[in-house]
Amino acid sequence: MQFLSERILDGGVVEREFLLGDIPGILWTPPAASPAAPVPLILMGQPGGIGLRRMHPRLASRAQSSAAQGFASVAIEAPGAGERPPLPGAEQVRADLRRVLGAGERPSDDLIDRLILPLVEQAVPEWQRTLDAVLELPEIDDRVGFSGGVIAVATRLAVVDSRIRAAGLFAGSYVPRVTMDEARRLTIPLHVLLQWDDEGNDRGMALELFDAFGSEEKTLYANMGGHTGVPRFVGEDAARFFSRHLGAPEG
């Protein structure tokens, strides 16, 4: 991990841009973080295809909220996003999706697989590499949560990496069949958000996935409103969720 820049945000939050190989990322740490008082870590996912620069204001706001709870946060550029090379076949599969949706049809399982699985298969190992690198920093401890992003990526990552203790997921993105199978193996506590009126959401698929999760503790927050209409209290509920399952920073 090569740090490229550092600046101090409101509240003393430290924001550092880095490169992990050829993967850009940003790490935010609260002012109290130190080797003597390491803090838990939130992996902050983002929608597929939207670059880190474009998402920065929203990510930084989420990171500052997490820092106020005593957590560090990290985000990385998703495969195929920003200035990273496009995923193989991405242009064709998006054209196929636009054609199907334009015809008022539901995307087939094959189309969903072609759209989502290449992202999952590349993103999950990259998140694990990122986690390896960040956990080497003395101011970060091994209590890890995952928040947001593409739900199929988060599900696969949480299944294969036992370091993730809890996850806050954004429901609504397309779900491959294999993700439904993986969801049944997931047992960590889950906080799932579904925007009920988001035109980009497949509500039925989101509910099917929530039902499939094998976690004994799983909560679905379904809010009226579209993609940008998430109520402020939802973030507060998510913060309490992570505080409960990752704990206060150790001193």
Side-chain angles (χ1 to χ4, degrees):
M1 175 179 282
Q2 177 187 3
F3 287 107
L4 305 176
S5 66
E6 178 177 317
R7 65 174 182 149
I8 307 299
L9 306 183
D10 291 344
V13 177
V14 181
E15 178 183 271
R16 287 178 282 176
E17 296 188 9
F18 64 85
L19 277 177
L20 184 64
D22 60 351
I23 305 170
I26 307 175
L27 175 68
W28 295 268
T29 49
S34 71
V39 296
L41 177 68
I42 303 292
L43 308 180
M44 291 201 305
Q46 54 187 322
I50 301 181
L52 196 59
R53 293 296 177 193
R54 180 178 164 190
M55 287 292 297
H56 178 267
R58 290 166 60 184
L59 292 171
S61 177
R62 287 168 58 191
Q64 287 176 289
S65 295
S66 294
Q69 300 293 322
F71 302 134
S73 301
V74 63
I76 56 175
E77 191 80 272
E83 298 182 359
R84 298 192 65 187
L87 293 168
E91 185 174 346
Q92 181 61 56
V93 73
R94 287 172 185 159
D96 293 343
L97 179 65
R98 288 192 295 269
R99 175 178 49 79
V100 168
L101 295 178
E105 300 173 0
R106 181 191 181 280
S108 67
D109 289 344
D110 175 69
L111 179 54
I112 292 173
D113 286 352
R114 290 193 293 122
L115 179 69
I116 302 296
L117 287 182
L119 174 63
V120 173
E121 289 162 2
Q122 185 170 335
V124 168
E126 291 180 354
W127 269 119
Q128 292 186 290
R129 286 175 56 199
T130 302
L131 187 51
D132 291 342
V134 175
L135 290 184
E136 290 182 357
L137 301 174
E139 67 269 31
I140 309 296
D141 74 15
D142 62 358
R143 292 167 290 166
V144 181
F146 192 97
S147 175
V150 176
I151 200 166
V153 172
T155 300
R156 170 80 60 86
L157 180 62
V159 166
V160 301
D161 199 315
S162 61
R163 294 175 291 185
I164 298 175
R165 301 188 185 187
L169 307 178
F170 295 168
S173 53
Y174 292 113
V175 179
R177 291 292 94 185
V178 68
T179 304
M180 294 291 183
D181 295 334
E182 291 168 344
R184 295 181 179 92
R185 297 162 49 199
L186 190 59
T187 59
I188 62 173
L190 299 176
H191 176 284
V192 184
L193 169 65
L194 173 63
Q195 286 302 104
W196 199 252
D197 302 312
D198 189 339
E199 293 182 356
N201 283 349
D202 186 322
R203 188 188 301 167
M205 187 176 291
L207 295 174
E208 182 184 356
L209 179 63
F210 181 78
D211 187 51
F213 284 127
S215 303
E216 290 187 5
E217 180 184 335
K218 56 180 181 180
T219 302
L220 178 66
Y221 286 74
N223 298 289
M224 306 304 292
H227 187 73
T228 59
V230 180
R232 179 177 296 274
F233 67 79
V234 172
E236 297 168 354
D237 288 340
R240 286 190 289 269
F241 168 81
F242 281 118
S243 292
R244 186 165 69 253
H245 292 290
L246 302 185
E250 296 173 347

